[in-house]
Amino acid sequence: MAFRFFLSLSVLLLGTGGAFAELAKTGYGKWSVSCDENNYCIAVTSGEGSNGEAFRMKVERGAKPASQVYVTFDPTTELQVGLPARIEIESLEEDNYGYFGKVDKVYKGNEMTFGGASDRDLIEKLRLGEDAAIQIEFGGSTGTLTYWVSMNGITHSLLKMDEAQGRVGRLDAIVAWGGLPSDKATGIAAAPSTTSQPAALDNAAAATDTASAASNAASAAPAEDLPPPVMPSQDQTAGLSGPVGQVYNLNEVPDSVQMTGYRVLDCALEETVPAFGAQYYAEGDVETWVVPCTMADANVPFYMMVHIPFNPSLDELKEFETPPDFNQPNHALVNNLFFDPGTGQVTGTTYYSPNYDCGAFERHEIEAESGNYTLMEYQEKSNCDGVSGPPEGWPLSWTIDEMGG
């Protein structure tokens, strides 16, 4: 197995205190999540190391827009500055992932933090993994200790965190991220205060300190940790008279839409719907569903179905064309599919780089009579030069007007 390397392991001040242990927790698999009165939220799991000692691993975040995400580790054996430490993630993909570095600082409670803009890198790899092994080289008679961490339930815990902090559909969500700005209200209110513990003032100060440190860290985040650019045409409510919604419970997706994803496209809906959400747009007796198929970071493939609630036998999976010179059949899966309910237009973007600075952009328009989609233009930027911007501005590669269908 090959490994990908994260060459810095920074440790940042969290000061979260012990009050979280007294808060009501929501459990998902091996993980649980709780938030304090300031909506500072912690997802946590625990276990035993290779020597039988107890440990905790946490993912925590403040409630301010675009606040940093921290992955914190708390073993029993005393940590020391300079100890080599790493996380190795067992993935369902071809490669495992490794994050290596040294402990920069140890905080009260014997805690260290894997820092950096982890919401688009380390967190995604943890969510896509089955298990992780944290290894710390203590040296001496202790040697190297290994702590096995299950990822069972981490996605649901982090989604709950997004919901509690009112981030669903925003660029700063951990799991349920979308195109809305980080400071924009989504219509999903942040959770109310959950406690009035005497430690509230300490927690508030800790959250303020953490948010300040996060702001400084975020300003220095590498380009690959940025969210994708938002395109100017993405106005989902223009011209639509019926309901618009997004669901994160797979049971809320119509059975016929689910079965098409499973049987025709071999999708992993039990993972993708809680992670990214399925969108629906209603117009009269017709619903249009846009559903994520398989897990990914930069390039999430979606499929689109027209659903007739009173007669699902009439449901239709939409297919989309590729440029004629590609000599490829139509495709039902479109990376980062965006549906404009006002015009019926569908666009998709495939990024060639995690920096979102290159890739291909496709635009399809619906034929009024047949209901089929026609490829209108295909834009491509093959030079990954670090200059990011909306894919609609990439160089034109093919248009139906200039090159024919």
Side-chain angles (χ1 to χ4, degrees), residues 364-403:
H364 306 264
E365 291 185 1
I366 192 169
E367 297 177 353
E369 294 184 2
S370 67
N372 296 327
Y373 276 89
T374 299
L375 177 65
M376 303 305 294
E377 61 184 34
Y378 189 88
Q379 298 167 233
E380 186 174 21
K381 181 186 177 188
S382 57
N383 181 20
C384 302
D385 54 7
V387 179
S388 60
E392 288 175 323
W394 288 345
L396 193 62
S397 176
W398 181 94
T399 70
I400 193 171
D401 292 333
E402 295 182 6
M403 303 176 190

Side-chain angles (χ1 to χ4, degrees), residues 191-230:
S193 300
T194 56
T195 182
S196 57
Q197 301 287 344
L201 292 178
D202 292 338
N203 284 336
T208 301
D209 291 343
T210 303
S212 176
S215 176
N216 294 334
S219 64
E224 61 265 25
D225 293 317
L226 296 174
V230 179

Side-chain angles (χ1 to χ4, degrees), residues 286-322:
V286 178
E287 295 176 357
T288 300
W289 282 83
V290 177
V291 184
C293 181
T294 53
M295 297 295 290
D297 189 4
N299 294 313
V300 180
F302 289 78
Y303 66 97
M304 192 171 85
M305 280 195 68
V306 172
H307 172 59
I308 314 297
F310 65 86
N311 190 357
S313 65
L314 299 177
D315 287 7
E316 181 184 5
L317 174 66
K318 292 300 183 180
E319 293 189 340
F320 303 93
E321 299 174 332
T322 54

Side-chain angles (χ1 to χ4, degrees), residues 10 14 29 123 179 219 270 309 340 376:
S10 52
L14 298 175
I123 287 292
S219 64
E270 70 283 356
D340 182 346
M376 303 305 294

Side-chain angles (χ1 to χ4, degrees), residues 11 79-85 101-106 136-137:
V11 185
L79 293 167
Q80 301 287 338
V81 173
L83 293 180
K102 291 186 177 182
V103 178
D104 290 341
K105 195 170 183 180
V106 180
I136 300 177
E137 298 179 17

Side-chain angles (χ1 to χ4, degrees), residues 196-337:
S196 57
Q197 301 287 344
L201 292 178
D202 292 338
N203 284 336
T208 301
D209 291 343
T210 303
S212 176
S215 176
N216 294 334
S219 64
E224 61 265 25
D225 293 317
L226 296 174
V230 179
M231 287 177 279
S233 65
Q234 294 188 349
D235 180 4
Q236 291 187 331
T237 59
L240 189 68
S241 60
V244 179
Q246 190 162 16
V247 300
Y248 291 88
N249 185 339
L250 182 57
N251 292 331
E252 297 182 54
V253 178
D255 289 343
S256 57
V257 178
Q258 290 188 46
M259 289 304 100
T260 299
Y262 281 125
R263 296 173 180 174
V264 178
L265 302 172
D266 196 25
C267 296
L269 302 183
E270 70 283 356
E271 297 178 356
T272 58
V273 172
F276 301 110
Q279 302 166 358
Y280 66 87
Y281 310 87
E283 192 74 47
D285 294 329
V286 178
E287 295 176 357
T288 300
W289 282 83
V290 177
V291 184
C293 181
T294 53
M295 297 295 290
D297 189 4
N299 294 313
V300 180
F302 289 78
Y303 66 97
M304 192 171 85
M305 280 195 68
V306 172
H307 172 59
I308 314 297
F310 65 86
N311 190 357
S313 65
L314 299 177
D315 287 7
E316 181 184 5
L317 174 66
K318 292 300 183 180
E319 293 189 340
F320 303 93
E321 299 174 332
T322 54
D325 56 345
F326 280 26
N327 295 318
Q328 294 180 0
N330 293 350
H331 52 285
L333 293 176
V334 176
N335 287 335
N336 301 307
L337 186 153

